[in-house]
Short mmCIF file of all heavy atoms in Angstrom, two decimals:
data_model
loop_
_atom_site.label_atom_id
_atom_site.label_comp_id
_atom_site.label_asym_id
_atom_site.label_seq_id
_atom_site.Cartn_x
_atom_site.Cartn_y
_atom_site.Cartn_z
N ILE A 122 102.62 111.68 84.59
CA ILE A 122 102.18 110.95 83.39
C ILE A 122 103.30 110.90 82.37
O ILE A 122 103.93 111.91 82.06
CB ILE A 122 100.94 111.60 82.76
CG1 ILE A 122 99.79 111.64 83.76
CG2 ILE A 122 100.52 110.85 81.49
CD1 ILE A 122 98.56 112.39 83.25
N THR A 123 103.54 109.72 81.82
CA THR A 123 104.51 109.52 80.75
C THR A 123 103.78 109.06 79.50
O THR A 123 102.90 108.20 79.57
CB THR A 123 105.54 108.45 81.15
OG1 THR A 123 106.31 108.91 82.26
CG2 THR A 123 106.49 108.14 79.99
N LEU A 124 104.15 109.63 78.36
CA LEU A 124 103.59 109.21 77.07
C LEU A 124 104.59 108.34 76.32
O LEU A 124 105.79 108.60 76.36
CB LEU A 124 103.26 110.43 76.20
CG LEU A 124 102.35 111.51 76.76
CD1 LEU A 124 102.11 112.57 75.68
CD2 LEU A 124 101.03 110.93 77.25
N GLU A 125 104.08 107.34 75.60
CA GLU A 125 104.88 106.64 74.60
C GLU A 125 104.25 106.95 73.26
O GLU A 125 103.11 106.55 72.98
CB GLU A 125 104.92 105.13 74.84
CG GLU A 125 105.83 104.45 73.83
CD GLU A 125 105.72 102.93 73.79
OE1 GLU A 125 104.87 102.36 74.51
OE2 GLU A 125 106.48 102.32 73.01
N LEU A 126 104.97 107.66 72.41
CA LEU A 126 104.44 108.09 71.11
C LEU A 126 104.80 107.07 70.04
O LEU A 126 105.94 106.64 69.94
CB LEU A 126 104.99 109.46 70.75
CG LEU A 126 104.77 110.57 71.78
CD1 LEU A 126 105.27 111.90 71.25
CD2 LEU A 126 103.29 110.67 72.16
N GLY A 127 103.81 106.73 69.21
CA GLY A 127 104.01 105.67 68.23
C GLY A 127 104.25 104.36 68.94
O GLY A 127 105.20 103.64 68.65
N CYS A 128 103.36 104.02 69.88
CA CYS A 128 103.61 102.91 70.80
C CYS A 128 103.47 101.54 70.15
O CYS A 128 103.84 100.54 70.76
CB CYS A 128 102.69 103.01 72.01
SG CYS A 128 100.94 102.73 71.65
N GLY A 129 102.92 101.46 68.93
CA GLY A 129 102.79 100.17 68.27
C GLY A 129 101.95 99.20 69.06
O GLY A 129 100.80 99.49 69.41
N LYS A 130 102.51 98.06 69.40
CA LYS A 130 101.80 97.03 70.15
C LYS A 130 101.60 97.42 71.62
O LYS A 130 100.89 96.73 72.34
CB LYS A 130 102.54 95.70 70.06
CG LYS A 130 102.64 95.12 68.66
CD LYS A 130 103.53 93.89 68.65
CE LYS A 130 103.73 93.32 67.26
NZ LYS A 130 102.56 92.63 66.74
N GLY A 131 102.28 98.47 72.05
CA GLY A 131 102.09 98.96 73.40
C GLY A 131 102.84 98.21 74.48
O GLY A 131 102.65 98.44 75.67
N GLU A 132 103.76 97.31 74.07
CA GLU A 132 104.42 96.48 75.08
C GLU A 132 105.36 97.28 75.96
O GLU A 132 105.57 96.94 77.13
CB GLU A 132 105.16 95.30 74.43
CG GLU A 132 106.41 95.67 73.65
CD GLU A 132 106.17 95.83 72.17
OE1 GLU A 132 105.14 96.45 71.82
OE2 GLU A 132 106.99 95.36 71.37
N TYR A 133 105.92 98.37 75.44
CA TYR A 133 106.82 99.19 76.26
C TYR A 133 106.02 99.92 77.34
O TYR A 133 106.42 99.97 78.50
CB TYR A 133 107.58 100.18 75.38
CG TYR A 133 108.95 100.51 75.91
CD1 TYR A 133 110.06 99.75 75.57
CD2 TYR A 133 109.15 101.58 76.78
CE1 TYR A 133 111.32 100.03 76.07
CE2 TYR A 133 110.40 101.87 77.29
CZ TYR A 133 111.49 101.10 76.93
OH TYR A 133 112.72 101.38 77.44
N SER A 134 104.87 100.48 76.95
CA SER A 134 104.02 101.17 77.92
C SER A 134 103.54 100.22 79.01
O SER A 134 103.51 100.57 80.20
CB SER A 134 102.81 101.81 77.21
OG SER A 134 103.20 102.86 76.38
N VAL A 135 103.16 99.02 78.61
CA VAL A 135 102.69 98.03 79.58
C VAL A 135 103.80 97.65 80.55
O VAL A 135 103.59 97.58 81.77
CB VAL A 135 102.15 96.77 78.86
CG1 VAL A 135 101.84 95.67 79.87
CG2 VAL A 135 100.91 97.11 78.04
N ALA A 136 105.00 97.43 80.02
CA ALA A 136 106.13 97.06 80.87
C ALA A 136 106.48 98.18 81.85
O ALA A 136 106.78 97.93 83.02
CB ALA A 136 107.33 96.72 80.01
N LEU A 137 106.42 99.42 81.38
CA LEU A 137 106.69 100.56 82.27
C LEU A 137 105.62 100.67 83.35
O LEU A 137 105.93 100.95 84.52
CB LEU A 137 106.73 101.85 81.45
CG LEU A 137 107.97 102.08 80.59
CD1 LEU A 137 107.77 103.29 79.67
CD2 LEU A 137 109.22 102.30 81.44
N ALA A 138 104.36 100.45 82.97
CA ALA A 138 103.27 100.53 83.94
C ALA A 138 103.42 99.47 85.03
O ALA A 138 103.13 99.72 86.21
CB ALA A 138 101.93 100.38 83.22
N GLU A 139 103.87 98.28 84.64
CA GLU A 139 104.10 97.21 85.62
C GLU A 139 105.28 97.55 86.53
O GLU A 139 105.24 97.32 87.74
CB GLU A 139 104.38 95.89 84.91
CG GLU A 139 103.17 95.24 84.28
CD GLU A 139 103.48 93.87 83.76
OE1 GLU A 139 104.13 93.77 82.69
OE2 GLU A 139 103.10 92.89 84.41
N LYS A 140 106.31 98.11 85.96
CA LYS A 140 107.54 98.38 86.69
C LYS A 140 107.39 99.57 87.64
O LYS A 140 107.99 99.61 88.71
CB LYS A 140 108.67 98.65 85.71
CG LYS A 140 110.07 98.69 86.31
CD LYS A 140 111.11 98.82 85.22
CE LYS A 140 112.53 98.82 85.79
NZ LYS A 140 112.87 97.55 86.45
N TYR A 141 106.56 100.54 87.24
CA TYR A 141 106.41 101.77 88.04
C TYR A 141 104.94 102.02 88.36
O TYR A 141 104.28 102.84 87.71
CB TYR A 141 107.00 102.96 87.28
CG TYR A 141 108.46 102.79 86.95
CD1 TYR A 141 108.86 102.46 85.65
CD2 TYR A 141 109.44 102.92 87.92
CE1 TYR A 141 110.21 102.30 85.34
CE2 TYR A 141 110.78 102.75 87.62
CZ TYR A 141 111.15 102.44 86.32
OH TYR A 141 112.48 102.26 86.03
N PRO A 142 104.40 101.35 89.36
CA PRO A 142 102.97 101.50 89.70
C PRO A 142 102.61 102.89 90.22
O PRO A 142 101.42 103.24 90.24
CB PRO A 142 102.75 100.42 90.77
CG PRO A 142 104.11 100.18 91.35
CD PRO A 142 105.07 100.35 90.21
N ASN A 143 103.59 103.67 90.62
CA ASN A 143 103.32 105.01 91.13
C ASN A 143 103.47 106.09 90.06
O ASN A 143 103.56 107.27 90.37
CB ASN A 143 104.23 105.32 92.32
CG ASN A 143 103.92 104.46 93.53
OD1 ASN A 143 102.76 104.15 93.80
ND2 ASN A 143 104.94 104.06 94.26
N ARG A 144 103.51 105.66 88.80
CA ARG A 144 103.49 106.58 87.67
C ARG A 144 102.35 106.17 86.74
O ARG A 144 101.90 105.03 86.76
CB ARG A 144 104.81 106.55 86.90
CG ARG A 144 106.04 106.91 87.70
CD ARG A 144 107.26 106.91 86.79
NE ARG A 144 108.51 106.91 87.53
CZ ARG A 144 109.70 106.76 86.98
NH1 ARG A 144 109.80 106.59 85.65
NH2 ARG A 144 110.81 106.77 87.70
N ASN A 145 101.91 107.09 85.91
CA ASN A 145 100.86 106.81 84.95
C ASN A 145 101.44 106.83 83.53
O ASN A 145 102.35 107.61 83.25
CB ASN A 145 99.73 107.83 85.05
CG ASN A 145 99.07 107.83 86.42
OD1 ASN A 145 98.89 106.77 87.03
ND2 ASN A 145 98.71 109.00 86.93
N PHE A 146 100.86 106.01 82.65
CA PHE A 146 101.39 105.88 81.30
C PHE A 146 100.27 105.88 80.26
O PHE A 146 99.20 105.30 80.50
CB PHE A 146 102.21 104.60 81.17
CG PHE A 146 103.40 104.56 82.10
CD1 PHE A 146 103.27 104.04 83.37
CD2 PHE A 146 104.62 105.08 81.70
CE1 PHE A 146 104.36 104.03 84.26
CE2 PHE A 146 105.71 105.08 82.57
CZ PHE A 146 105.57 104.56 83.84
N ILE A 147 100.55 106.53 79.13
CA ILE A 147 99.59 106.56 78.03
C ILE A 147 100.32 106.21 76.74
O ILE A 147 101.26 106.90 76.35
CB ILE A 147 98.93 107.95 77.88
CG1 ILE A 147 98.24 108.36 79.19
CG2 ILE A 147 97.91 107.93 76.73
CD1 ILE A 147 97.69 109.78 79.16
N GLY A 148 99.88 105.13 76.10
CA GLY A 148 100.43 104.75 74.81
C GLY A 148 99.61 105.39 73.70
O GLY A 148 98.38 105.36 73.74
N ILE A 149 100.30 105.98 72.73
CA ILE A 149 99.61 106.71 71.67
C ILE A 149 100.03 106.19 70.30
O ILE A 149 101.22 106.05 70.02
CB ILE A 149 99.90 108.22 71.76
CG1 ILE A 149 99.43 108.77 73.10
CG2 ILE A 149 99.23 108.98 70.61
CD1 ILE A 149 99.76 110.23 73.33
N ASP A 150 99.05 105.91 69.47
CA ASP A 150 99.30 105.48 68.10
C ASP A 150 98.02 105.74 67.30
O ASP A 150 96.96 105.96 67.89
CB ASP A 150 99.68 103.99 68.04
CG ASP A 150 100.58 103.66 66.85
OD1 ASP A 150 100.14 103.93 65.72
OD2 ASP A 150 101.70 103.16 67.05
N ILE A 151 98.13 105.70 65.99
CA ILE A 151 96.95 105.91 65.14
C ILE A 151 96.31 104.59 64.76
O ILE A 151 95.16 104.54 64.33
CB ILE A 151 97.32 106.73 63.87
CG1 ILE A 151 96.06 107.19 63.15
CG2 ILE A 151 98.23 105.92 62.96
CD1 ILE A 151 95.13 108.06 63.95
N LYS A 152 97.03 103.47 64.94
CA LYS A 152 96.53 102.16 64.51
C LYS A 152 96.02 101.36 65.70
O LYS A 152 96.78 100.81 66.48
CB LYS A 152 97.64 101.40 63.78
CG LYS A 152 98.07 102.09 62.49
CD LYS A 152 99.10 101.28 61.73
CE LYS A 152 99.49 101.98 60.42
NZ LYS A 152 100.50 101.22 59.65
N GLY A 153 94.69 101.32 65.80
CA GLY A 153 94.07 100.64 66.92
C GLY A 153 94.30 99.14 66.94
O GLY A 153 94.49 98.55 68.00
N ALA A 154 94.25 98.50 65.75
CA ALA A 154 94.45 97.05 65.69
C ALA A 154 95.83 96.66 66.20
O ALA A 154 96.03 95.57 66.73
CB ALA A 154 94.25 96.56 64.26
N ARG A 155 96.78 97.57 66.03
CA ARG A 155 98.14 97.32 66.51
C ARG A 155 98.21 97.46 68.03
O ARG A 155 98.84 96.64 68.71
CB ARG A 155 99.12 98.29 65.84
CG ARG A 155 100.56 98.09 66.24
CD ARG A 155 101.42 99.20 65.69
NE ARG A 155 101.49 99.17 64.24
CZ ARG A 155 102.08 100.11 63.50
NH1 ARG A 155 102.63 101.17 64.08
NH2 ARG A 155 102.10 100.01 62.20
N MET A 156 97.56 98.48 68.58
CA MET A 156 97.59 98.71 70.02
C MET A 156 96.76 97.70 70.81
O MET A 156 96.85 97.64 72.03
CB MET A 156 97.11 100.13 70.35
CG MET A 156 98.12 101.21 70.03
SD MET A 156 97.63 102.82 70.73
CE MET A 156 96.24 103.25 69.70
#
């Protein structure tokens, strides 16, 4: 599992998840409307 802290819009986590299907990813932020 990989975390992205302060992920904002979450585009980095999404891109990593697409690129590496054999890994898991969790985007973390306090602002839900942004994520």
